PDB file of all heavy atoms in Angstrom:
ATOM      1  N   ILE A 173     -10.372  60.513 -10.314  1.00 98.00           N
ATOM      2  CA  ILE A 173      -9.138  59.730 -10.427  1.00 98.00           C
ATOM      3  C   ILE A 173      -9.265  58.585  -9.424  1.00 98.00           C
ATOM      4  O   ILE A 173      -9.574  58.829  -8.246  1.00 98.00           O
ATOM      5  CB  ILE A 173      -7.907  60.595 -10.062  1.00 98.00           C
ATOM      6  CG1 ILE A 173      -7.790  61.768 -11.037  1.00 98.00           C
ATOM      7  CG2 ILE A 173      -6.635  59.752 -10.023  1.00 98.00           C
ATOM      8  CD1 ILE A 173      -7.038  62.953 -10.467  1.00 98.00           C
ATOM      9  N   PHE A 174      -9.046  57.370  -9.887  1.00 98.00           N
ATOM     10  CA  PHE A 174      -9.106  56.225  -8.970  1.00 98.00           C
ATOM     11  C   PHE A 174      -7.751  55.543  -8.852  1.00 98.00           C
ATOM     12  O   PHE A 174      -7.095  55.267  -9.857  1.00 98.00           O
ATOM     13  CB  PHE A 174     -10.147  55.194  -9.436  1.00 98.00           C
ATOM     14  CG  PHE A 174     -11.500  55.437  -8.833  1.00 98.00           C
ATOM     15  CD1 PHE A 174     -12.384  56.317  -9.424  1.00 98.00           C
ATOM     16  CD2 PHE A 174     -11.877  54.800  -7.660  1.00 98.00           C
ATOM     17  CE1 PHE A 174     -13.635  56.558  -8.853  1.00 98.00           C
ATOM     18  CE2 PHE A 174     -13.119  55.025  -7.092  1.00 98.00           C
ATOM     19  CZ  PHE A 174     -14.010  55.912  -7.686  1.00 98.00           C
ATOM     20  N   VAL A 175      -7.361  55.303  -7.614  1.00 98.00           N
ATOM     21  CA  VAL A 175      -6.155  54.524  -7.337  1.00 98.00           C
ATOM     22  C   VAL A 175      -6.648  53.159  -6.869  1.00 98.00           C
ATOM     23  O   VAL A 175      -7.384  53.060  -5.883  1.00 98.00           O
ATOM     24  CB  VAL A 175      -5.315  55.201  -6.223  1.00 98.00           C
ATOM     25  CG1 VAL A 175      -4.125  54.329  -5.858  1.00 98.00           C
ATOM     26  CG2 VAL A 175      -4.865  56.586  -6.665  1.00 98.00           C
ATOM     27  N   ILE A 176      -6.283  52.107  -7.596  1.00 98.00           N
ATOM     28  CA  ILE A 176      -6.735  50.759  -7.229  1.00 98.00           C
ATOM     29  C   ILE A 176      -5.527  49.955  -6.775  1.00 98.00           C
ATOM     30  O   ILE A 176      -4.571  49.762  -7.540  1.00 98.00           O
ATOM     31  CB  ILE A 176      -7.435  50.063  -8.425  1.00 98.00           C
ATOM     32  CG1 ILE A 176      -8.576  50.955  -8.927  1.00 98.00           C
ATOM     33  CG2 ILE A 176      -7.971  48.687  -8.014  1.00 98.00           C
ATOM     34  CD1 ILE A 176      -9.080  50.592 -10.294  1.00 98.00           C
ATOM     35  N   GLU A 177      -5.555  49.546  -5.506  1.00 98.00           N
ATOM     36  CA  GLU A 177      -4.397  48.827  -4.948  1.00 98.00           C
ATOM     37  C   GLU A 177      -4.598  47.330  -5.110  1.00 98.00           C
ATOM     38  O   GLU A 177      -5.509  46.738  -4.538  1.00 98.00           O
ATOM     39  CB  GLU A 177      -4.222  49.191  -3.474  1.00 98.00           C
ATOM     40  CG  GLU A 177      -2.967  48.603  -2.875  1.00 98.00           C
ATOM     41  CD  GLU A 177      -2.871  48.868  -1.392  1.00 98.00           C
ATOM     42  OE1 GLU A 177      -2.740  50.040  -0.985  1.00 98.00           O
ATOM     43  OE2 GLU A 177      -2.957  47.883  -0.612  1.00 98.00           O
ATOM     44  N   ILE A 178      -3.721  46.731  -5.897  1.00 98.00           N
ATOM     45  CA  ILE A 178      -3.809  45.309  -6.249  1.00 98.00           C
ATOM     46  C   ILE A 178      -2.813  44.531  -5.389  1.00 98.00           C
ATOM     47  O   ILE A 178      -1.735  45.031  -5.067  1.00 98.00           O
ATOM     48  CB  ILE A 178      -3.462  45.115  -7.752  1.00 98.00           C
ATOM     49  CG1 ILE A 178      -4.263  46.072  -8.643  1.00 98.00           C
ATOM     50  CG2 ILE A 178      -3.621  43.660  -8.175  1.00 98.00           C
ATOM     51  CD1 ILE A 178      -5.703  45.768  -8.820  1.00 98.00           C
ATOM     52  N   MET A 179      -3.152  43.281  -5.035  1.00 98.00           N
ATOM     53  CA  MET A 179      -2.238  42.480  -4.203  1.00 98.00           C
ATOM     54  C   MET A 179      -0.917  42.203  -4.916  1.00 98.00           C
ATOM     55  O   MET A 179      -0.852  42.151  -6.138  1.00 98.00           O
ATOM     56  CB  MET A 179      -2.891  41.169  -3.799  1.00 98.00           C
ATOM     57  CG  MET A 179      -3.701  41.308  -2.513  1.00 98.00           C
ATOM     58  SD  MET A 179      -4.237  39.699  -1.910  1.00 98.00           S
ATOM     59  CE  MET A 179      -4.652  40.120  -0.230  1.00 98.00           C
ATOM     60  N   GLY A 180       0.091  41.962  -4.116  1.00 98.00           N
ATOM     61  CA  GLY A 180       1.436  41.690  -4.646  1.00 98.00           C
ATOM     62  C   GLY A 180       2.446  42.574  -3.958  1.00 98.00           C
ATOM     63  O   GLY A 180       2.598  43.741  -4.319  1.00 98.00           O
ATOM     64  N   ASN A 181       3.090  42.014  -2.938  1.00 97.00           N
ATOM     65  CA  ASN A 181       4.030  42.796  -2.144  1.00 97.00           C
ATOM     66  C   ASN A 181       5.405  42.883  -2.768  1.00 97.00           C
ATOM     67  O   ASN A 181       6.037  43.931  -2.746  1.00 97.00           O
ATOM     68  CB  ASN A 181       4.159  42.146  -0.761  1.00 97.00           C
ATOM     69  CG  ASN A 181       3.904  43.156   0.309  1.00 97.00           C
ATOM     70  OD1 ASN A 181       4.340  44.304   0.172  1.00 97.00           O
ATOM     71  ND2 ASN A 181       3.208  42.766   1.357  1.00 97.00           N
ATOM     72  N   LYS A 182       5.848  41.742  -3.301  1.00 97.00           N
ATOM     73  CA  LYS A 182       7.211  41.701  -3.833  1.00 97.00           C
ATOM     74  C   LYS A 182       7.218  41.638  -5.356  1.00 97.00           C
ATOM     75  O   LYS A 182       8.210  41.960  -5.985  1.00 97.00           O
ATOM     76  CB  LYS A 182       7.935  40.456  -3.285  1.00 97.00           C
ATOM     77  CG  LYS A 182       7.980  40.370  -1.770  1.00 97.00           C
ATOM     78  CD  LYS A 182       9.248  41.019  -1.281  1.00 97.00           C
ATOM     79  CE  LYS A 182       9.316  41.240   0.209  1.00 97.00           C
ATOM     80  NZ  LYS A 182       8.889  40.175   1.072  1.00 97.00           N
ATOM     81  N   ALA A 183       6.120  41.170  -5.938  1.00 98.00           N
ATOM     82  CA  ALA A 183       6.063  41.014  -7.399  1.00 98.00           C
ATOM     83  C   ALA A 183       4.810  41.700  -7.953  1.00 98.00           C
ATOM     84  O   ALA A 183       3.740  41.649  -7.359  1.00 98.00           O
ATOM     85  CB  ALA A 183       6.056  39.525  -7.768  1.00 98.00           C
TER      86      ALA A 183
END
Side-chain angles (χ1 to χ4, degrees):
I173 298 156
F174 268 86
V175 175
I176 305 164
E177 186 185 294
I178 310 287
M179 272 189 163
N181 233 321
K182 303 268 169 44

